[in-house]
Amino acid sequence: QVQLVESGGGSVQAGGSLRLSCTASGDTSSWNTMGWFRQAPGKEREGVAAIDSSGISTAYAGSVKGRFTISRDNAKNTVFLQMNSLKPEDTAMYYCALRPGAWYPASWSADVKYPYWGQGTQVTVSS
């Protein structure tokens, strides 16, 4: 079993920055895809960014491209999401997810493909 714990959420003003972290523990292997998803009240969960096991391949939602950066430190079993130029529409609960195995760029944002999830961390951006 895999456990994921997120941290780093909070409240910021528009234009500010936050850095989210997610650490995996348990039956982990570095051969996996790790992703960040978010869900705002009344909206469906959406993929924000994902990264392959090597850290070389990444993918982003169009709404965050150029503002958010995903990275990982395999030695620490941790994935990061650096969020810059935050907007009120970025307000949501952010979840870390893990998908064992290979990188599938066509389905990186399909939440059903990720069997392991963290509990979420709230990000609130005020205007």
Side-chain angles (χ1 to χ4, degrees):
Q1 196 71 342
V2 175
Q3 295 80 42
L4 302 173
V5 178
E6 302 100 333
S7 62
S11 296
V12 296
Q13 291 195 329
S17 298
L18 284 173
R19 189 192 195 205
L20 306 184
S21 300
C22 171
T23 299
S25 62
D27 187 18
T28 60
S29 164
S30 60
W31 190 46
N32 56 55
T33 292
M34 296 195 75
W36 286 99
F37 292 77
R38 67 186 181 187
Q39 188 167 24
K43 295 188 177 181
E44 292 190 355
R45 186 163 59 188
E46 63 172 349
V48 175
I51 188 167
D52 76 335
S53 55
S54 71
I56 294 175
S57 295
T58 59
Y60 296 92
S63 59
V64 307
K65 197 171 292 185
R67 300 188 297 123
F68 291 10
T69 303
I70 190 170
S71 60
R72 64 189 295 166
D73 182 341
N74 286 340
K76 297 181 179 179
N77 290 328
T78 299
V79 64
F80 306 97
L81 186 68
Q82 178 67 43
M83 306 186 294
N84 298 329
S85 302
L86 282 160
K87 304 175 181 180
E89 51 263 45
D90 295 318
T91 295
M93 183 71 78
Y94 282 71
Y95 299 91
C96 172
L98 187 151
R99 176 179 180 181
W103 169 252
Y104 294 97
S107 61
W108 72 267
S109 61
D111 56 359
V112 295
K113 300 292 187 180
Y114 293 77
Y116 303 107
W117 291 82
Q119 81 289 350
T121 185
Q122 178 68 38
V123 171
T124 302
V125 185
S126 58
S127 57

